[in-house]
Amino acid sequence: MYGWNGRFLRVNLSNSNAQAEQYDLTMAKRFLGGRGFAVKILWDELDPRTDPLSPDNKLVFAAGPLTGWSLPSSGKLVVAAKSPLTGGYGDGNVGTHVAVQMRKAGYDAIIVEGKAEKPVIVLVQDKLVDFVDAGNLWGLDSFTAEKRLRELYGRASGILLIGPAGENMVSYATIVCQEGRSGGRPGMGAVMGSKNLKAIVVVGTRELPAAYPKEMQELGQDAYREVLMKPSYAFWKQQGTMMTVEWSQENSVLPTLNYSEGVFDKADAIGGFAMEKLKVGNRGCPMCNMTCGNIVKDSDRKQSELDYENVVMLGSNIGLGDLKQVAALNRIADELGMDTISLGNVLGFAMEASEKGLIDQHVPWGSFKNTKALVKDIAYRRGLLGNMLADGVKSASEKIGKGSEAWAMHVKGLEVSGYDCHTTPGMALAYGTSSIGAHHKDAWVISWEVKTGREHYNAEKVDKVLELQRIRAGVFESLTVCRFPWVEVGFELEWYPKFLRAATGIEVNWDMLNVVGDRIFNLTRAFWVRHYNKDWTSQMDVPPARWFDEPTKKGTLKGSRLDREQYSEMLQMYYRKRGWDDRGIPTKTTLRKLGLEDAEKQLGKRIKLAE
Ligand code: SF4
């Protein structure tokens, strides 16, 4: 087998055992790597009754067949488990040296199961696996702990770890690396904490097995050059995703005051050009020549890495218009190891609840001091409010009640990312049907939608969401490569089959890859349905009521809202095109067509599947 190592490493923390396992080429071709491997492993190995924070849950770190070579933006790793936030399939990708080192150590994925008796570090050095006492690191913030690990294991080692939020099992704790890059929004850090696993350190020294090594090397050089020559490259390096703040404001989709509006009075103060004035450097993932992390000095005089999502969620969505203070909140969240999208969302929810007199604690919009204290309370689960918000916005609204469910901004329990959808039904559909809950990564359709007619609820829009989900959610997440070269600088899709051929020796084209993307997407949906403890209905794919029922009051599009009936029709159209029934469950025919007979069998035991 070329391209893939053909081996997983299975680590059991309960008995400190580690074993390499082989998998075959059929698995590789059918699921590629990354998300594909993760969902297949979790589907095969998790009982539907598994408590996400129990030793029975499994945490998968999976790379893809393009990881480890010099190819643009290919230093990504998928971290996946059953989510403590949603109860469904959860994952995230993170740019990390672990991706590269793990592949060079001879593994395509590491599966962590069980629970260590005491805090531990798993240390992988090629074939050797050690379980190192982490008692002296437990309780440390992610920056300090990472620095200590780097001193011990060297600059080249790959390190993934959790901060106090992961240790305290905050439902949206992330897994962190490289001083503030993090991934695994749906609580992958909490799963790591539940297993007493503070860090995983990987060092690999082997050559990767490419089918055509010379071609691989030349392709890589050409591809990096191609990225550099793209016209939008220079501005991307200047601002990265921060350029989207101004775009969102202009187009009335900037999340503002808990998604009640799409424009923010102080948007300019937190935008890309404001960021440029504070910028002191760039940081990014391994293997990337379009690094997009903007390093600024925050109001606490610490370095903070800014991008669009963390700025709007900790800025406009909570009414905070001072970028240095936004950066300080972001730095604290990174130190504690919490997802900034979900965090900004629960903070906005708390502020609205406070304004409406539904909670005792006073949390005014835009107050830096109160917010800073509350962020720490959440990470340490301190106080009634901190502890309640640590379980996410869905859980908080269920506890508070009194109609707050209507403005608890989530889908399937995962908080909505940084785009207001009062005026964008296509993006609402993308949130509604994403693989992990309301996340933008699977189908960022909003920019195309704004250009082509945001008012439509039509087949063309559904097709676009499907197309993006195949490419981004299925193929990119499984190869495992970053979407930004394609999305942001126009690096052509045709490169990827060439990379795959050089790595694996297998000829593929995008039609074939799209089938793999569909297989992975359908198995992910099957996982959700199988692990959901109630009857699955199309209501699971409907975005929050606020966007349907409360028109915006500001901006050029004031008075806008989503139309419930048209959204439902568009959702049913999406199901038909996917080969799902009117509940949003894959039919027998669809599962068989994709070779997912086991999903048909297992789902069939729980529910009646449509033909
Ligand atoms: S573009 Fe940004 S997110 Fe993508 S690989 Fe490069 S640094 Fe990472």
Side-chain angles (χ1 to χ4, degrees):
M1 192 191 294
Y2 291 105
W4 294 277
N5 283 302
R7 267 189 311 183
F8 298 145
L9 177 68
R10 187 176 296 274
V11 175
N12 189 314
L13 295 172
S14 299
N15 59 14
S16 303
N17 187 38
Q19 268 182 328
E21 287 174 8
Q22 292 199 321
Y23 68 88
D24 63 18
L25 191 59
T26 308
M27 163 84 169
K29 284 186 185 167
R30 281 165 49 80
F31 293 97
L32 281 180
R35 172 179 273 175
F37 281 179
V39 69
K40 174 73 170 121
I41 291 165
L42 295 173
W43 171 268
D44 286 347
E45 299 189 13
L46 287 192
D47 185 285
R49 289 160 297 190
T50 303
D51 173 349
L53 295 176
S54 73
D56 295 335
N57 199 3
K58 307 203 179 189
L59 185 59
V60 181
F61 300 87
L66 300 188
T67 314
W69 280 288
S70 289
L71 297 173
S73 308
S74 63
K76 290 276 189 183
L77 186 77
V78 166
V79 291
K82 181 169 178 176
S83 161
L85 183 63
T86 67
Y89 174 78
D91 77 9
N93 80 41
V94 57
T96 165
H97 291 284
V98 169
V100 180
Q101 298 290 330
M102 182 180 83
R103 290 263 294 155
K104 292 195 170 173
Y107 309 110
D108 297 326
I110 298 176
I111 305 159
V112 179
E113 50 194 35
K115 177 182 180 179
E117 231 172 74
K118 290 191 213 145
V120 73
I121 301 157
V122 169
L123 173 63
V124 181
Q125 293 169 299
D126 289 325
K127 284 188 177 162
L128 290 176
V129 181
D130 277 329
F131 297 82
V132 182
D133 183 79
N136 59 343
L137 297 182
W138 201 255
L140 292 183
D141 71 80
S142 69
F143 284 59
T144 311
E146 186 181 352
K147 189 163 173 275
R148 295 231 188 128
L149 289 167
R150 212 160 277 298
E151 282 160 9
L152 277 173
Y153 300 111
R155 286 211 67 74
S157 57
I159 299 169
L160 283 172
L161 75 167
I162 54 169
E167 295 172 10
N168 295 316
M169 290 176 264
V170 172
S171 297
Y172 41 93
T174 50
I175 298 177
V176 189
C177 68
Q178 292 173 230
E179 300 184 330
R181 300 195 84 70
S182 69
R185 286 193 62 204
M188 300 302 100
V191 175
M192 201 157 153
S194 75
K195 296 185 175 304
N196 270 333
L197 178 60
K198 179 70 181 178
I200 177 160
V201 181
V202 189
V203 182
T205 56
R206 294 169 67 251
E207 283 290 313
L208 281 168
Y212 305 111
K214 189 159 177 292
E215 193 177 320
M216 189 61 141
Q217 196 187 4
E218 287 166 4
L219 265 174
Q221 286 164 358
D222 292 349
Y224 277 120
R225 206 172 306 122
E226 179 73 20
V227 169
L228 283 179
M229 281 163 46
K230 294 289 181 193
S232 47
Y233 178 83
F235 191 52
W236 172 261
K237 283 289 282 187
Q238 237 168 281
Q239 294 203 356
T241 57
M242 282 295 294
M243 64 173 94
T244 317
V245 177
E246 281 88 349
W247 181 87
S248 289
Q249 171 80 351
E250 272 162 36
N251 291 293
S252 300
V253 296
L254 190 71
T256 304
L257 305 179
N258 196 28
Y259 297 87
S260 59
E261 299 291 344
V263 291
F264 179 47
D265 297 343
K266 298 177 186 161
D268 284 348
I270 60 164
F273 293 101
M275 181 280 299
E276 280 197 53
K277 293 191 187 123
L278 305 180
K279 187 166 173 174
V280 294
N282 260 101
R283 200 182 288 148
C285 311
M287 306 300 182
C288 182
N289 69 338
M290 47 182 283
T291 48
C292 64
N294 299 294
I295 309 299
V296 302
K297 275 269 166 71
D298 69 20
S299 59
D300 292 334
R301 302 211 176 131
K302 289 183 174 177
Q303 290 199 347
S304 178
E305 184 174 329
L306 298 184
D307 64 28
Y308 171 78
E309 296 286 341
N310 56 36
V311 166
V312 299
M313 295 312 300
L314 298 172
S316 53
N317 197 52
I318 63 168
L320 182 59
D322 180 317
L323 192 56
K324 281 190 169 189
Q325 292 180 346
V326 172
L329 293 180
N330 178 60
R331 164 82 189 209
I332 294 165
D334 285 343
E335 286 174 351
L336 297 169
M338 268 188 291
D339 174 54
T340 49
I341 298 176
S342 287
L343 180 63
N345 209 307
V346 298
L347 291 171
F349 176 84
M351 288 169 184
E352 184 158 352
S354 167
E355 184 180 56
K356 292 187 157 115
L358 301 181
I359 53 174
D360 293 336
Q361 202 164 320
H362 184 49
V363 198
W365 292 110
S367 156
F368 177 56
K369 202 168 145 226
N370 296 47
T371 309
K372 207 171 168 183
L374 184 54
V375 169
K376 291 179 186 168
D377 286 347
I378 293 171
Y380 291 97
R381 289 186 171 274
R382 282 192 303 236
L384 268 180
L385 185 62
N387 193 35
M388 182 173 75
L389 297 179
D391 290 325
V393 83
K394 176 173 183 277
S395 164
S397 71
E398 285 164 359
K399 283 181 188 130
I400 290 176
K402 301 189 176 132
S404 63
E405 295 88 345
W407 36 271
M409 304 303 288
H410 70 91
V411 176
K412 302 184 187 72
L414 182 72
E415 289 77 13
V416 174
S417 338
Y419 299 93
D420 185 88
C421 289
H422 277 96
T423 62
T424 50
M427 193 64 216
L429 181 69
Y431 279 146
T433 57
S434 151
S435 309
I436 59 168
H439 196 44
H440 58 291
K441 189 178 58 186
D442 282 1
W444 188 68
V445 72
I446 195 164
S447 132
W448 175 89
E449 180 173 31
V450 165
K451 263 188 243 147
T452 55
R454 60 171 90 199
E455 67 281 10
H456 304 307
Y457 295 70
N458 58 17
E460 199 191 352
K461 204 165 271 191
V462 173
D463 286 340
K464 195 69 188 175
V465 170
L466 287 165
E467 177 194 330
L468 293 178
Q469 286 177 342
R470 285 185 181 113
I471 297 169
R472 296 168 58 126
V475 181
F476 281 179
E477 288 300 303
S478 303
L479 280 178
T480 312
V481 294
C482 178
R483 61 201 180 274
F484 286 145
W486 175 57
V487 176
E488 299 291 351
V489 302
F491 182 71
E492 295 79 5
L493 286 178
E494 287 65 39
W495 285 92
Y496 295 95
K498 290 186 207 160
F499 295 157
L500 257 178
R501 181 185 168 278
T504 66
I506 299 170
E507 299 277 352
V508 287
N509 56 40
W510 269 99
D511 288 342
M512 293 153 82
L513 288 173
N514 283 336
V515 173
V516 177
D518 275 344
R519 179 177 300 122
I520 293 164
F521 206 88
N522 274 271
L523 189 60
T524 310
R525 172 57 62 129
F527 183 99
W528 273 96
V529 176
R530 188 183 182 200
H531 283 250
Y532 188 59
N533 56 15
K534 296 185 206 148
D535 289 339
W536 189 273
T537 70
S538 63
Q539 203 48 40
M540 294 297 285
D541 295 331
V542 176
R546 160 157 281 170
W547 288 336
F548 294 100
D549 300 334
E550 296 177 32
T552 52
K553 297 184 205 69
K554 284 182 167 179
T556 49
L557 295 172
K558 78 176 175 189
S560 302
R561 64 186 170 89
L562 292 179
D563 184 287
R564 205 177 281 279
E565 206 172 309
Q566 290 192 79
Y567 179 84
S568 284
E569 282 165 17
M570 194 166 67
L571 183 61
Q572 289 300 327
M573 198 189 300
Y574 172 94
Y575 290 165
R576 285 193 294 278
K577 284 174 184 275
R578 272 236 171 261
W580 295 357
D581 67 16
D582 60 7
R583 299 167 293 180
I585 299 174
T587 63
K588 289 181 181 180
T589 311
T590 302
L591 292 171
R592 277 180 214 156
K593 207 170 74 187
L594 294 166
L596 296 171
E597 284 81 4
D598 186 55
E600 181 193 347
K601 189 171 150 203
Q602 300 303 335
L603 281 186
K605 286 181 190 166
R606 276 176 60 84
I607 46 172
K608 192 162 167 30
L609 291 177
E611 284 300 325

